Each structure stands twice: as C-alpha cells, then as structure tokens.
Amino acid sequence: MEVIICPKCQNNKTVKSGIINNKQRYLCKNCNYFFTVNKIGKKIDDYYVTKALQLYLEGLSYREIERILGVSHVSISNWIKSFNIKKPANTNYHPTYKILNHLELVEYIKNKEILSGAGMIITELGDKFMVIKWERFKK
C-alpha cells in the first residue's frame, strides 16, 4: 500500500477525502490540509538555492545569478521572498565576480595587488570556484 505524505507538513497521517476532477483527494490528520496528489515536477537541489541566496546577499542581481547558476531569475526571486531575505542597505559598491578553475584560482591569489584593499569571498560552484570581490574602502 502506497503511503501518501502531506505536502505541507510531511506527515503520513492522511485519509481519503473524496474525488475532484477524477483525482483522489486527501486530508492530512495532522494539519487539516486538503490536497489531491503529490506534486510531480522537478525540484532544484538545495545546493543551488543556498548559492543563489548567498550571491544575492553579496549584491548580485537576479539576472546575474541566473547566468551563473543556470536557474530562472523568477525562481531566485521566489526563493528570496519565501525566505524573507533582505539585501544589505549599503549600495555604495557593486561586487565583481570571476569563475575560475582550481589552477586559475591559485594563480589569481598569488597576485598581492589583487588581494590588498578589497574584500573577497571564494565559494565553490560545482567543479569551479567563484571569486566575489568588492572594493568597499576605496574612494
């Protein structure tokens, strides 16, 4: 027998509750949520959600994040709304970013002029690395 799980609270205490449009309707006994069937669709890996939120907080736009991660800017906007993320108020800077492989990253970091006078974050992005850099303290 198939166990039906509530899409709202992930509880398996569900009972049949009629048929709508030739689809079985269920009721969750835990949260009293009515639903028809489990949503069949592609789910984006939590890794990309986390990366998108990080990049948004670093000042990148929805479209820039879309180009980097390959995820729709509308999905990114929905994640930011659902997690109630607010971008920091400081808009005096706009970060620049580079996507590098391991050897390019090592060569990039060897240059001392690049490292001094700027903030920098390095984050893994699949099999490559993203360097996010901003010059906050320069006038």
Side-chain angles (χ1 to χ4, degrees):
M1 183 174 180
E2 182 184 357
V3 177
I4 304 296
I5 296 175
C6 174
K8 188 173 182 183
C9 70
Q10 274 64 49
N11 199 314
N12 62 356
K13 295 179 182 175
T14 57
V15 294
K16 291 182 178 182
S17 181
I19 294 176
I20 293 186
N21 295 331
N22 295 324
K23 293 181 184 176
Q24 180 65 57
R25 186 175 171 143
Y26 297 94
L27 168 66
C28 176
K29 290 292 210 171
N30 187 47
C31 67
N32 291 325
Y33 181 69
F34 287 94
F35 60 99
T36 52
V37 292
N38 290 338
K39 188 174 183 181
I40 298 171
K42 66 178 190 178
K43 179 174 180 340
I44 296 176
D45 191 1
D46 289 340
Y47 171 80
Y48 291 104
V49 176
T50 304
K51 286 296 175 191
L53 296 176
Q54 286 175 342
L55 295 173
Y56 176 76
L57 286 173
E58 288 303 321
L60 275 67
S61 71
Y62 296 151
R63 300 278 180 161
E64 288 173 319
I65 298 169
E66 176 183 37
R67 285 190 290 274
I68 292 166
L69 296 180
V71 177
S72 167
H73 65 278
V74 176
S75 294
I76 295 165
S77 171
N78 290 337
W79 295 335
I80 290 166
K81 288 176 189 171
S82 68
F83 287 103
N84 199 19
I85 304 271
K86 302 284 187 242
K87 196 182 272 193
N90 185 359
T91 57
N92 295 340
Y93 68 96
H94 185 76
T96 58
Y97 58 90
K98 294 180 184 283
I99 298 175
L100 308 168
N101 67 29
H102 182 262
L103 294 176
E104 291 170 334
L105 179 64
V106 170
E107 289 299 318
Y108 186 80
I109 291 178
K110 281 183 182 178
N111 188 348
K112 185 173 180 170
E113 290 92 36
I114 290 174
L115 298 178
S116 60
M120 188 177 345
I121 292 177
I122 301 171
T123 183
E124 184 181 11
L125 191 62
D127 62 341
K128 299 192 181 212
F129 298 91
M130 173 181 268
V131 177
I132 303 169
K133 181 179 171 186
W134 63 96
E135 297 175 315
R136 263 189 199 173
F137 307 112
K138 289 191 175 181
K139 302 251 179 192

